[in-house]
Amino acid sequence: AATNQIVVGGAFLHGHKIEVGTLDSGILTVDGRAVIAGFPGAYHQEGWSVTYDSEGNVPDVIPEGNEKRVVHMTLPLGVKVTVFQWKNYMDVQIEMSKQPGQDGVCGNFNGNQGDDTTQAIMARVGARVRPSETLLSGQALIEWTPQMDKMMRVECAAAT
C-alpha cells in the first residue's frame, strides 16, 4: 500500500486542517487554501507552522525521477509530522508523545504489545475511516503504478 494524501486537524489545531498530497496532486493546503506560494516556503499560525523545503533524512530512497520535497509540520503538544512528497506517493513520519485515548495503526501505547496486533487494532478502530468522519478533500486515488511495482519487487526480494 502507498500513502497519497494525509490530513492533520482537530481540536489541538483549533479547527484548522492541514492537507498534503503527492507532488502530482499538487495538494498542500491549510483550511482548503494554498498558503505556500513557492518552493521553498513557510506558513505560520499562532502555536504551529508548516515549512516546505528539501531538508530532512529520507526514510527510504529518493525514487527515480523525483526531487526531494519535504513538508514539515511543527504542531501543538510537541507533535511533528514530516511528509516526503514524491510524484505518486508519500513517506510520512510522525513524532509525538503519548496522548490520552490515543489509538491507531501504530497501537495504543499502553505498554502491552500483545494488544497492538493488526487484528486487535482493527477490532478497536476498524480498517477505514467512515466517510462521514473523513477530513480528506475529494476521493483518495488508488492506483498501482509501474514505479510502485518496481519498488515492491525490490523490497520484497530483499525480505526473502
Side-chain angles (χ1 to χ4, degrees), residues 12-93:
F12 87 120
L13 285 178
H14 306 289
H16 292 289
K17 176 176 94 167
I18 304 165
E19 191 164 8
V20 181
T22 64
L23 285 174
D24 283 351
S25 77
I27 297 171
L28 176 49
T29 64
V30 174
D31 300 330
R33 295 183 342 213
V35 293
I36 299 177
F39 181 87
Y43 177 76
H44 302 276
Q45 281 281 331
E46 187 175 330
W48 58 274
S49 65
V50 179
T51 305
Y52 192 41
D53 59 31
S54 61
E55 302 299 316
N57 295 323
V58 177
D60 197 358
V61 296
I62 296 177
E64 187 178 316
N66 278 259
E67 293 181 47
K68 189 163 115 178
R69 303 286 187 181
V70 188
V71 179
H72 306 270
M73 299 178 219
T74 305
L75 307 171
L77 305 174
V79 175
K80 293 181 182 177
V81 179
T82 306
V83 180
F84 294 86
Q85 287 183 304
W86 309 116
K87 290 176 82 110
N88 61 353
Y89 75 98
M90 306 176 328
D91 289 314
V92 179
Q93 296 175 329

Side-chain angles (χ1 to χ4, degrees), residues 101-137:
Q102 182 173 343
D103 203 350
V105 296
C106 295
N108 56 20
F109 298 93
N110 65 358
N112 177 4
Q113 292 181 347
D115 68 1
D116 289 340
T117 64
T118 301
Q119 294 82 3
I121 292 168
M122 292 303 130
R124 287 193 309 268
V125 297
R128 300 258 180 208
V129 175
R130 290 181 197 92
S132 63
E133 295 176 354
T134 187
L135 296 175
L136 292 171
S137 62

